[in-house]
Amino acid sequence: MASLLVKIFSIFLIIICIFTPQALSVVPEECKTETDGCTNKEKALPLKIIAIFSILIASIIGVCSPLFTRSVPALNPERSLFVIVKCFASGIILATGFMHVLPDSFDMLTSKCLKENPWHKFPFTGFVAMLSAIVTLIVDSVATSIYSKKSNNEVIPEVASPAEGRQQDMAVVNVGHFHGHHHGLKPAQGAVDQQLLRNRVIAMVLELGIVVHSVVIGLSLGASNNTCTIKGLVAALCFHQMFEGMGLGGCILQAEYKAMKKFTMAFFFSVTTPFGTALGIALSNTYKDNSPTALITEGLLNASSAGLLIYMALVDLLSAEFMGQKLQGSIKLQIKCYAAVLLGAGFMSLMAKWA
């Protein structure tokens, strides 16, 4: 699964590198960026270099902090505090889709720099986001089915004689009765394996959506020479990456990957925004963020990422958590988790004022 993840991310980064130079097209006169006292390339460059390292450190802290919670008893995945923190991070991911990525896509695909037909005749942002959510559902379902069948095929039950079968059935009944009387029945191993597979699919799909918009926002930051907006944007992106990384790190932790796979996923999340920023710096001389090609490319990527993030936050994270046995068995814990979701969504919504 880790090799598949590497292939997907490598292909995505190659596509970005191929299509980004197409944004060097001629910009219409009315769409050229206005220059003012804040536009200074020489002063902006040190700020962007600081941004690369700041965002990288914030991303590493965010995505890695949940991976070390097993050593902290209060933050163990089986404890209530971990569920509350995960709900807080899920609220952040939900607000990222609704308050950051989706509005940016609307602004780009309805820009006056694009032709009236077809970009102002049809709501492409909503359409692409809807398709992205449906495709995410398909990938989510198909991937779970494939890995479930693969896991089931690896376990081949031994064929027992009728007498041995009856003895095994009696033993199971007796053992089940004994444990049910004293400790209660334990969940079937198959159910545990199925949930683990779901967690792994969720972690992979969620990371893919986060990586897509992380590269886009990094590219926009690297291409900007406005010193007045870069400072606030860097601070907002650091908080954004840290808390979004916490949500992804919690999913990676529950997926119970081996150390190398955890490192691979954490690495890709941490470097994508700095990579996009570095790419934007390299192209800042000729990259035109208001060119039609740039607006269409970034707008469509943001729309697809928004649909994926909203689906994952609502269906695979929040719905699965709130409809699960742990929260359904405690109204008090549900209320705490509701408050955590609202707090996370509210905090990230506030960040939309600067980023």
Side-chain angles (χ1 to χ4, degrees):
M1 190 175 289
S3 60
L4 175 62
L5 190 65
V6 172
K7 291 179 182 178
I8 293 174
F9 288 160
S10 299
I11 292 172
F12 172 73
L13 295 180
I14 291 172
I15 292 174
I16 288 291
C17 292
I18 292 174
F19 286 99
T20 298
Q22 294 185 11
L24 313 181
S25 57
V26 178
V27 182
E29 188 67 29
E30 66 274 12
C31 296
K32 289 184 178 180
T33 305
E34 296 182 0
T35 57
D36 51 27
C38 293
T39 303
N40 190 317
K41 183 180 177 182
E42 293 182 358
K43 292 183 178 179
L45 182 59
L47 294 175
K48 289 186 281 189
I49 294 176
I50 293 173
I52 290 177
F53 292 100
S54 300
I55 295 173
L56 178 63
I57 293 172
S59 300
I60 292 174
I61 293 174
V63 74
C64 290
S65 56
L67 302 180
F68 297 99
T69 56
R70 289 191 182 275
S71 58
V72 182
L75 293 176
N76 189 282
E78 302 299 325
R79 303 295 292 271
S80 298
L81 183 58
F82 179 85
V83 178
I84 296 173
V85 172
K86 186 180 177 183
C87 288
F88 173 80
S90 299
I92 286 177
I93 293 174
L94 181 63
T96 297
F98 274 117
M99 298 299 297
H100 293 256
V101 189
L102 202 60
D104 286 348
S105 178
F106 271 113
D107 290 341
M108 291 174 181
L109 296 183
T110 57
S111 171
K112 63 180 180 180
C113 303
L114 298 181
K115 294 181 179 180
E116 182 72 18
N117 188 22
W119 301 105
H120 294 267
K121 300 291 186 180
F122 186 78
F124 281 97
T125 294
F127 180 70
V128 173
M130 177 187 68
L131 287 182
S132 175
I134 295 173
V135 171
T136 305
L137 169 64
I138 295 172
V139 172
D140 201 5
S141 176
V142 171
T144 302
S145 299
I146 292 174
Y147 286 112
S148 295
K149 291 180 180 179
K150 182 179 178 181
S151 178
N152 292 336
N153 290 336
E154 290 176 355
V155 180
I156 303 175
E158 297 181 0
V159 179
S161 64
E164 292 174 340
R166 286 193 296 271
Q167 292 175 358
Q168 291 176 357
D169 290 341
M170 291 298 294
V172 169
V173 171
N174 291 334
V175 171
H177 174 74
F178 177 80
H179 285 283
H181 180 70
H182 291 279
H183 306 289
L185 289 173
K186 295 183 179 180
Q189 183 64 34
V192 175
D193 292 341
Q194 183 71 17
Q195 184 59 46
L196 181 60
L197 289 171
R198 288 287 303 126
N199 291 339
R200 291 183 175 180
V201 172
I202 289 171
M204 284 188 62
V205 178
L206 178 61
E207 172 143 351
L208 181 61
I210 291 175
V211 163
V212 170
H213 88 267
S214 293
V215 173
V216 173
I217 60 178
L219 182 63
S220 300
L221 173 63
S224 174
N225 289 319
N226 191 320
T227 57
C228 297
T229 59
I230 288 178
K231 295 177 181 179
L233 185 60
V234 171
L237 286 178
C238 286
F239 282 106
H240 176 277
Q241 290 295 105
M242 180 180 294
F243 288 108
E244 195 173 51
M246 288 174 60
L248 177 62
C251 293
I252 295 174
L253 177 65
Q254 290 186 315
E256 297 184 9
Y257 287 117
K258 293 181 180 179
M260 188 60 191
K261 292 182 180 180
K262 290 180 181 178
F263 170 78
T264 301
M265 297 186 73
F267 171 79
F268 273 107
F269 169 78
S270 301
V271 302
T272 45
T273 302
F275 168 81
T277 305
L279 183 61
I281 293 174
L283 299 174
S284 59
N285 287 332
T286 51
Y287 180 87
K288 307 299 179 183
D289 56 354
N290 282 338
S291 71
T293 304
L295 290 170
I296 293 170
T297 302
E298 293 184 20
L300 293 177
L301 283 174
N302 276 332
S304 60
S305 179
L308 190 154
L309 290 175
I310 292 169
Y311 171 88
M312 294 297 297
L314 289 175
V315 178
D316 283 338
L317 298 178
L318 293 175
S319 178
E321 204 68 61
F322 280 99
M323 296 303 172
Q325 185 177 1
K326 190 177 186 66
L327 287 184
Q328 286 295 309
S330 174
I331 297 296
K332 185 178 179 181
L333 183 57
Q334 281 189 46
I335 295 174
K336 292 180 180 178
C337 289
Y338 289 140
V341 172
L342 291 173
L343 185 63
F347 179 79
M348 189 51 62
S349 298
L350 183 62
M351 288 292 103
K353 185 177 180 180
W354 298 281

